[in-house]
Amino acid sequence: LYKVRADSTVLATGSSEQHVVFRNNDLPGVVMCSALERLLRLYGVAPRGPLVVLAGNDAAYRTAIDAFDAGMTVSCLVDMRSGPNDPALDAALAQRGIALETDATVYEAKTDTSGLQLGSVAIHSLDTTGNPQPITAKKSPVGALRRSLPCSVLAMSAGYMPAYQLACQGGAQLRYCEQNAHFQLSHLPPGMFMTGSANSVFTLEAVCADGRNAARAALAHIGRTSAKPQEPVVCTAQVNYPWPLFPHSRGREFVDFDEDLQIKDIVNSTRQGYRDIQLVKRFSTVGMGPSQGRHSALPTARLVAQATGRSIDETGVTTARPPLKPEPLGL
């Protein structure tokens, strides 16, 4: 066992893709866009049957394009926004004949005749005012049914959550930015430098420049100077959809797949008096499964904030304690 005490550390820990919360979003066949990308690009596997992509950012458009180019049948891309930030992506879909539904969401996934896996999705219009409705409100942001589509794979991307655990264990602060609808790290301890998507930078050119800047800063911290100056990092990409949570009258909208927790379980925790995010975790067991909150921390913070009348920044996320990953028993 080696213990290393570094004078200067660069963390490029990345981020975790976030899911959309809708009815039956736990059915086999419902996956993250990054999971489908990994199947296609790393393993060379194209799942069988028609694909629907649910987008909260431009990255989902690239998943639809990659899937089409890999030979999959892409039935539709459903964008919760009014369209992509990059107009070239809209043109790329049209060139491939991929249907596009904007200002809409998948409100419910349904099984096939076996009752065991994804068979179709119900696509509904969205209220695009941008203001999430209270959980108890009679009016839902989800509007009328637009169309139902058969599909065996639904790939979704609602945004990203930075891998904040190591930085916070070192003393950094995690704060929620309302403007960009995501958590970001600040107040890093001396000698620690963040880069990449963990540092809220996502486009390829910006990530490369940010990485070089972090390396220069880390070297300067230990007395090694670089002849090249710091580079401007320009990243205007909006990757997080602000409110990808759609309560359904019949429930089964999963916030935490590990612990089988739905929207009602999180809200009921606050109604029982457990209003602090740390107590919500212990009462409901959210974030206690193998993913350790990587996919459930952000939607839980949003739900608790809404149910308790606080901001998401005031609500925060639960404390990340070491180790980041379980150590082997032999060690």
Side-chain angles (χ1 to χ4, degrees):
L1 172 62
Y2 292 91
K3 291 186 178 181
V4 179
R5 297 287 181 261
D7 292 324
S8 186
T9 306
V10 176
L11 294 184
T13 47
S15 54
S16 300
E17 193 167 30
Q18 301 297 292
H19 64 293
V20 183
V21 181
F22 57 88
R23 177 170 166 78
N24 292 331
N25 61 340
D26 68 327
L27 284 177
V30 181
V31 298
M32 304 286 195
C33 283
S34 54
L36 182 57
E37 290 277 3
R38 183 174 295 182
L39 281 174
L40 295 171
R41 292 189 169 274
L42 182 59
Y43 296 107
V45 174
R48 182 182 63 182
L51 165 71
V52 172
V53 177
L54 179 55
N57 50 50
D58 284 5
Y61 279 72
R62 298 184 180 94
T63 298
I65 293 166
D66 286 347
F68 181 91
D69 293 347
M72 291 187 69
T73 301
V74 185
S75 298
C76 185
L77 188 145
V78 183
D79 196 338
M80 295 181 285
R81 309 167 299 169
S82 58
N85 295 324
D86 184 356
L89 294 173
D90 207 344
L93 287 190
Q95 182 182 1
R96 290 164 173 80
I98 300 174
L100 175 63
E101 293 278 358
T102 59
D103 295 324
T105 187
V106 171
Y107 188 42
E108 181 179 5
K110 300 179 182 180
T111 62
D112 62 5
T113 53
S114 73
L116 301 175
Q117 62 189 30
L118 180 66
S120 65
V121 293
I123 301 169
H124 286 241
S125 298
L126 269 183
D127 173 11
T128 57
T129 57
N131 299 317
Q133 297 292 326
I135 298 297
T136 55
K138 294 182 180 179
K139 182 180 182 298
S140 170
V142 178
L145 174 69
R146 282 196 192 176
R147 60 196 295 199
S148 293
L149 284 177
C151 68
S152 57
V153 182
L154 170 65
M156 57 184 171
S157 179
Y160 297 88
M161 180 75 172
Y164 61 90
Q165 292 85 352
L166 286 176
C168 288
Q169 287 166 15
Q173 292 182 10
L174 187 70
R175 304 298 301 270
Y176 188 79
C177 174
E178 294 284 353
Q179 180 179 358
N180 295 318
H182 69 234
F183 278 100
Q184 56 190 25
L185 288 156
S186 62
H187 297 85
L188 298 174
M192 180 182 287
F193 306 91
M194 298 292 299
T195 186
S197 62
N199 196 35
S200 303
V201 177
F202 294 92
T203 59
L204 180 60
E205 295 80 7
V207 164
C208 292
D210 195 45
R212 290 189 291 267
N213 286 345
R216 294 185 188 110
L219 287 171
H221 188 75
I222 58 174
R224 298 282 193 90
T225 58
S226 171
K228 295 183 178 181
Q230 295 286 84
E231 304 174 43
V233 177
V234 180
C235 182
T236 58
Q238 177 81 7
V239 299
N240 276 29
Y241 187 76
W243 201 263
L245 301 113
F246 306 111
H248 196 282
S249 59
R250 290 184 290 162
R252 291 193 63 83
E253 334 90 328
F254 287 93
V255 175
D256 190 325
F257 298 120
D258 302 339
E259 301 295 300
D260 281 348
L261 296 175
Q262 305 170 40
I263 287 177
K264 66 179 182 180
D265 298 312
I266 306 301
V267 175
N268 285 342
S269 298
T270 64
R271 290 173 178 167
Q272 293 288 335
Y274 300 96
R275 299 168 59 84
D276 187 276
I277 193 73
Q278 306 285 358
L279 299 179
V280 170
K281 175 180 179 178
R282 277 128 187 105
F283 182 76
S284 68
T285 72
V286 65
M288 291 188 178
S291 74
Q292 288 292 288
R294 284 169 178 81
H295 68 268
S296 59
L298 180 54
T300 298
R302 286 169 167 161
L303 288 170
V304 172
Q306 186 186 66
T308 58
R310 292 175 293 174
S311 70
I312 299 172
D313 188 48
E314 290 171 331
T315 303
V317 297
T318 55
T319 304
R321 296 183 177 86
L324 177 62
K325 292 185 177 180
E327 298 291 352
L329 187 59
L331 182 59

